[in-house]
């Protein structure tokens, strides 16, 4: 192969032995996952708010941000379940750019996958231990999921990955709720096929093993907008699209119909300041139509300490180095306003 095999990396079991969870941490993750399952199964009428930085770029500012969510969660706990975004893997459309903490534990340094694996696990452990939350992460590399499977409350399969067979089969083996995004081209049937695959049982190869998965009944849709043939972004959170998605679910026979609305990406045209308006419009659609109300389970919001974004090495504490985010004050206000509307 045209590559240099630099070193053998530790397997997930070895990494977990080096960085084990305490009983208290494991119980906390189990509790958080159970709360989310109750939402996606319809047993709870709370909504899920998956909120946080576009990418978990610096451990100190990420923990600072998530710590600020603790008193907010306490205030809205009867209506909202907050799940912090701790996205340590970042898909890149062209392959260029910052690929996340797992590739570059120091965004200004050279790639170091060994250190990245350790740093990623340590960050998720700090989230559970210090804040009581269980984070959400994107499953960009299915074989890496085992490094974090005992720590995550929620898993997302991205728009570029949802049609990939290994992502779908791995999702079928995950215990926690898994959101499957519509692809970048917008074809909802691709997303629905991904959910179908994730909810079924499969035999497949995973990390050198022949395995059998039992299906994930909590796999569900994420609408994130799409880009057309001409490169123009289009939203897909509107009333008509939600009704159409409800129809697709009714025809599919899938368990636990549900959708999470990604308020950024192509839904907002990557304008983070549009996210509050989008969220409130979806809540209005849910109030107008009970069918939509039953379908909508939550929202994704890209949010950090400081509004906007900067280049890598920009030096602004708590500002995104990937997609632009909504700043803390606006995000805190949005969470409270969402709870008031429910």
């Amino acid at each position: 192969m045209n590559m240099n095999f630099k070193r053998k990396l530790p397997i997930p079991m070895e990494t977990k032995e080096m960085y084990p969870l305490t009983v208290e941490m494991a119980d906390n993750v189990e509790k958080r996952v159970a709360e989310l399952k109750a939402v996606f199964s319809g047993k709870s009428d709370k909504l899920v708010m998956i909120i946080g930085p576009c990418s978990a770029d610096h451990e100190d500012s990420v923990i600072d941000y998530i710590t600020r969510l603790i008193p907010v969660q306490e205030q809205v706990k009867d209506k909202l379940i907050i799940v912090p975004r701790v996205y340590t893997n970042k898909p890149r459309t062209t392959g260029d750019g910052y690929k996340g903490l797992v590739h570059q534990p120091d965004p200004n340094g050279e790639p170091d996958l060994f250190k990245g694996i350790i740093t990623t696990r340590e960050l998720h452990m700090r989230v559970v231990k210090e804040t009581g939350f269980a984070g959400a992460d994107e499953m960009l590399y299915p074989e890496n999921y085992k490094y974090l499977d005992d720590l995550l409350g929620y898993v997302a399969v991205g728009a570029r990955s949802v049609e990939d067979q290994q992502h779908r089969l791995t999702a079928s083996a995950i215990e926690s709720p898994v959101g499957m995004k519509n692809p970048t081209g917008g074809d909802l049937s691709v997303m629905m096929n991904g959910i179908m695959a994730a909810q079924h049982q499969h035999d497949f190869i995973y990390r050198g093993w022949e395995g059998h998965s039992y299906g994930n009944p909590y796999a569900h849709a994420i609408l994130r907008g799409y880009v057309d043939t001409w490169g123009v972004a289009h939203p897909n959170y509107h009333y008509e699209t939600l009704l159409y998605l409800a129809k697709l679910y009714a025809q599919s026979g899938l368990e636990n119909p549900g959708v999470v609305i990604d308020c950024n990406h192509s839904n907002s045209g990557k304008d983070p300041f549009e996210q509050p308006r989008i969220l409130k419009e979806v809540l209005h659609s849910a109030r107008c139509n009970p069918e939509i109300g039953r379908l909508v389970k939550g929202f994704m919001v890209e949010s950090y300490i400081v509004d906007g974004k900067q280049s890598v090495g920009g030096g602004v504490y708590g500002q995104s180095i990937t997609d632009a985010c909504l700043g803390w004050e606006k995000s805190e206000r949005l969470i409270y306003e969402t709870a008031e509307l429910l």
Side-chain angles (χ1 to χ4, degrees):
M1 295 179 69
N2 186 26
M3 66 183 295
N4 173 28
F5 290 87
K6 297 167 72 173
R7 57 182 160 182
K8 185 75 172 176
L9 296 172
I11 63 173
M13 183 184 296
E14 293 168 339
T15 307
K16 291 173 181 176
E17 288 172 352
M18 290 187 288
Y19 300 92
L21 269 64
T22 64
V23 172
E24 182 180 1
M25 292 166 68
D27 288 345
N28 191 49
V29 173
E30 185 178 354
K31 175 187 173 185
R32 293 284 178 174
V33 170
E35 290 175 344
L36 292 173
K37 286 180 176 180
V39 172
F40 287 101
S41 65
K43 294 176 181 177
S44 169
D45 59 1
K46 296 179 184 179
L47 289 185
V48 178
M49 179 73 79
I50 303 161
I51 187 168
C54 174
S55 59
D57 46 17
H58 294 284
E59 186 171 332
D60 54 351
S61 53
V62 169
I63 293 296
D64 180 353
Y65 174 89
I66 297 173
T67 301
R68 299 179 188 208
L69 290 171
I70 297 171
V72 180
Q73 173 66 99
E74 181 63 25
Q75 291 293 318
V76 301
K77 63 182 180 181
D78 293 335
K79 296 182 178 180
L80 292 172
I81 298 173
I82 294 176
V83 183
R85 283 175 58 104
V86 190
Y87 276 34
T88 57
N89 309 272
K90 290 304 297 178
R92 312 308 300 184
T93 302
T94 65
D96 271 345
Y98 176 64
K99 296 182 179 69
L101 206 64
V102 73
H103 280 264
Q104 288 174 268
D106 177 1
N108 299 302
E110 293 296 315
D112 187 334
L113 276 295
F114 175 81
K115 187 176 180 182
I117 289 170
I118 302 303
T119 302
T120 297
R121 182 164 177 85
E122 285 187 311
L123 175 56
H124 276 284
M125 288 180 70
R126 284 192 65 188
V127 170
V128 175
K129 182 178 181 180
E130 297 178 25
T131 74
F133 290 110
D137 206 340
E138 179 172 346
M139 186 174 66
L140 186 57
Y141 309 108
E143 291 201 349
N144 287 0
Y145 171 71
K146 284 292 291 180
Y147 289 107
L148 299 173
D149 64 339
D150 54 344
L151 286 161
L152 297 179
Y154 184 91
V155 178
V157 174
R160 299 165 188 80
S161 304
V162 70
E163 200 164 7
D164 176 68
Q165 183 82 336
Q166 192 72 0
H167 282 82
R168 292 176 171 188
L169 300 184
T170 304
S172 75
I174 292 176
E175 287 279 347
S176 59
V178 177
M180 315 287 282
K181 288 196 173 185
N182 66 262
T184 54
D187 187 345
L188 297 189
S189 68
V190 170
M191 176 186 70
M192 298 302 288
N193 289 339
I195 299 168
M196 179 74 73
Q199 289 197 1
H200 279 74
Q201 301 185 30
H202 300 281
D203 290 274
F204 63 105
I205 297 171
Y206 187 77
R207 297 194 62 88
W209 288 78
E210 177 183 353
H212 176 82
S213 67
Y214 293 97
N216 186 340
Y218 307 101
H220 58 274
I222 302 175
L223 295 182
R224 49 89 70 198
Y226 65 96
V227 178
D228 68 18
T229 306
W230 310 106
V232 178
H234 297 274
N236 60 6
Y237 61 84
H238 292 308
Y239 184 92
E240 293 79 9
T241 303
L242 294 172
L243 272 183
Y244 178 62
L245 179 60
K247 178 181 177 182
L248 291 178
Y249 261 117
Q251 294 170 345
S252 70
L254 288 165
E255 293 185 68
N256 302 320
V259 64
V260 168
I261 305 300
D262 181 344
C263 297
N264 213 13
H265 297 100
S266 292
N267 270 333
S268 69
K270 291 197 174 181
D271 179 351
F273 306 112
E274 288 292 301
Q275 294 181 108
R277 178 191 61 78
I278 291 166
L279 187 152
K280 291 170 187 176
E281 180 174 327
V282 173
L283 288 179
H284 177 70
S285 296
R287 287 194 300 272
C288 289
N289 190 309
E291 191 172 11
I292 293 175
R294 288 189 294 271
L295 188 67
V296 174
K297 302 298 184 183
F299 299 92
M300 285 185 168
V301 175
E302 291 196 323
S303 157
Y304 213 171
I305 296 170
V306 178
D307 284 331
K309 68 176 181 177
Q310 63 183 322
S311 59
V312 176
V316 179
Y317 177 82
Q319 187 176 52
S320 177
I321 61 173
T322 46
D323 288 350
C325 293
L326 199 66
W328 170 250
E329 290 78 11
K330 297 181 182 71
S331 301
E332 182 183 31
R333 184 164 62 247
L334 176 59
I335 296 171
Y336 287 133
E337 290 174 349
T338 301
E340 289 173 3
L341 290 168
L342 295 177

